Amino acid sequence: MPAGPEFVADPYGFYAELRRSRPAHFVRLKNGLYAWLITRYADARLVLSDPRFSKDPGRAPADWQEAGRGKPLEDRSGLGAHLLTFDPPEHTRLRSVVSGFFHRRRLAAKLGGVIEETVETLLQRLATTDEADLIESFAAPMQATVICEILGIPAAHRADFGRWCDDVVLSRGTGGAARAAAMGNLLEYITGIVAEKAAAPGDDVISTLADPDGELSLDEVVPMIFLLLVAGYETTINLVGNGMLALMADPGQRSLLRDRPDLLTSAIEELLRYDSATEFSTWRFTLEPVQIADTVIPAGQPVLVALAAANRDPEAFADPDRLDLQRADNAHLSFGHGVHYCVGASLARLEGRIAIGGLIRAFPEMALAVRPEEVEWKSSLTVRGPVRLPVRLRPR
């Protein structure tokens, strides 16, 4: 499977060829893992929701698990099992503990004002300069604030917490000492705050998870917090980065959104479909032989769904390579499908509407400060987004 910078920047032509050729492709990845890759929309929905596909990495074949390769990307922290490595009923039990915090109405009531205030502060800072990195100066600090608020991280600790998140998530492709140190700092901090919240709980996610009379053991609490942190932090940053990049490349659609802010809800759905912040699903493993069209995937095989490919399938979306902010019936798969549908989808949508709406309103002539081919993309199997997004905030 291609892995060069040209493919990472624009994989959609390659995915179109895969969709046309056959329904499931056996591929080898640059990290040594292999998988059956699903690229068509209807097949993707099946794999994401069919109980014959397990999330338990213990179901993977022995050679796939050798030499440490049995830790799939969702368990790269070494923190053990969590939501993304369990099937029902264990997955159902774990998810039920946190799902109430991510209900759409509760999020709007609890976090809507926080997000709006945070975005407005960041927009005011951007207004003092002519050029900026939209990831470093806007998307990342916005998301650090929101994640800290929902988890219950005290204000005095948020600067350190945000820096550790940046080192763990945004520098993942480069690795190195900074990331390792940040991982250790985050793990130590999370373990400590779990104990504090158990003794003096508040109205936040960590307090609920840390409840000594609650559903979870300590061995389950820490991985859950780490998962919510890493998954929620990076994907929303990518939503803002990918979304603004798409709008800057299509002035007509950007002008439409500027003139029609009532389109923000459908616009966010289309931006999620057009260039998904999550390129691939997390790993699944066949519990028995499964037939996908004319291809049979044997039992015990690793399977990946190319969400970005499914979201551009012409069998599901008319003219799929065109950005259309008024697209109706936009049932994209960027948040997955089935029981593992992203628990934070409503939060990401809320943040996307407020953040992208604010940027379009404040800087209607925003433009890339580099050539499109100079944008550096994250080297990652699961997520998709720019490492940096240098922009000019107003015309020269």
Side-chain angles (χ1 to χ4, degrees):
M1 186 165 164
E6 296 83 5
F7 169 75
V8 174
D10 184 6
Y12 294 106
F14 176 74
Y15 290 150
E17 289 296 323
L18 293 186
R19 283 195 307 267
R20 285 190 288 267
S21 59
R22 59 184 184 274
H25 299 259
F26 186 81
V27 297
R28 291 196 177 273
L29 309 174
K30 67 176 183 178
N31 58 6
L33 296 176
Y34 59 85
W36 289 85
L37 186 65
I38 308 299
T39 58
R40 297 176 183 175
Y41 182 87
D43 300 330
R45 282 176 63 95
L46 170 70
V47 172
L48 293 172
S49 59
D50 193 313
R52 292 175 296 173
F53 295 86
S54 171
K55 294 292 293 163
D56 180 2
R59 302 283 189 167
D63 66 325
W64 194 88
Q65 299 189 53
E66 288 174 359
R69 292 186 296 165
K71 288 183 179 177
L73 292 188
E74 54 264 43
D75 192 29
R76 61 184 172 269
S77 63
L79 292 176
H82 47 66
L83 270 178
L84 297 184
T85 60
F86 278 122
D87 300 318
E90 282 298 286
H91 172 269
T92 307
R93 177 181 67 85
L94 292 173
R95 186 182 176 104
S96 68
V97 178
V98 295
S99 59
F101 273 91
F102 293 93
H103 187 276
R104 178 172 55 83
R105 289 191 180 91
R106 178 171 183 173
L107 286 171
K110 181 177 176 59
L111 287 178
V114 172
I115 299 169
E116 290 172 354
E117 181 180 345
T118 301
V119 165
E120 188 58 35
T121 298
L122 294 169
L123 291 175
Q124 290 175 8
R125 292 177 187 170
L126 287 175
T128 64
T129 186
D130 292 330
E131 295 191 6
D133 174 0
L134 210 57
I135 303 300
E136 180 182 40
S137 300
F138 182 83
M142 177 198 74
Q143 187 59 359
T145 298
V146 173
I147 286 291
C148 286
E149 189 72 22
I150 198 167
L151 289 179
I153 305 298
H157 302 165
R158 291 182 181 181
D160 286 340
F161 196 81
R163 187 177 68 254
W164 296 334
C165 289
D166 285 346
D167 286 342
V168 167
V169 174
L170 301 184
S171 65
R172 188 177 62 213
T174 59
R179 182 173 185 271
M183 286 281 290
N185 287 331
L186 274 174
L187 181 56
E188 181 180 0
Y189 180 81
I190 289 171
T191 303
I193 200 170
V194 165
E196 292 177 13
K197 296 283 187 177
D203 181 22
D204 55 68
V205 168
I206 294 180
S207 294
T208 297
L209 296 177
D211 182 357
D213 298 321
E215 292 283 334
L216 305 187
S217 68
L218 181 61
D219 289 341
E220 293 172 324
V221 168
V222 175
M224 176 76 84
I225 295 170
F226 208 94
L227 174 65
L228 294 173
L229 164 66
V230 174
Y233 189 72
E234 187 164 18
T235 51
T236 303
I237 290 172
N238 292 345
L239 166 58
V240 174
N242 295 357
M244 290 307 299
L245 190 57
L247 290 169
M248 287 186 288
D250 193 327
Q253 290 294 292
R254 181 176 58 182
S255 296
L256 176 65
L257 185 57
R258 179 196 62 203
D259 297 338
R260 295 273 313 276
D262 60 294
L263 291 176
L264 264 172
T265 296
S266 66
I268 294 304
E269 298 307 309
E270 176 66 350
L271 293 170
L272 283 162
R273 181 202 69 84
Y274 182 76
D275 204 3
S276 174
T278 306
E279 188 163 357
F280 292 92
S281 68
T282 48
W283 291 98
R284 282 161 173 79
F285 307 91
T286 48
L287 296 179
E288 60 185 72
V290 179
Q291 185 160 355
I292 305 291
D294 59 354
T295 299
V296 175
I297 303 176
Q301 289 292 292
V303 177
L304 282 175
V305 175
L307 302 173
N311 283 342
R312 297 276 190 110
D313 188 343
E315 294 296 317
F317 304 96
D319 199 5
D321 294 322
R322 180 172 66 90
L323 182 68
D324 179 6
L325 301 186
Q326 299 183 84
R327 187 181 296 273
D329 300 321
N330 196 343
H332 61 78
L333 298 177
S334 294
F335 292 122
H337 180 63
V339 298
H340 288 279
Y341 186 81
C342 176
V343 71
S346 292
L347 177 59
R349 288 180 164 115
L350 176 63
E351 290 184 81
R353 291 194 298 270
I354 295 173
I356 291 177
L359 287 166
I360 292 296
R361 182 187 71 250
F363 306 107
E365 303 300 323
M366 181 187 297
L368 270 178
V370 296
R371 295 191 301 273
E373 61 270 21
E374 293 177 324
V375 173
E376 180 186 358
W377 291 83
K378 294 171 184 172
S379 177
S380 169
L381 179 61
T382 49
V383 298
R384 172 171 173 76
V387 176
R388 287 172 288 278
L389 194 58
V391 295
R392 294 195 306 274
L393 298 171
R394 52 188 58 84
R396 286 177 175 169

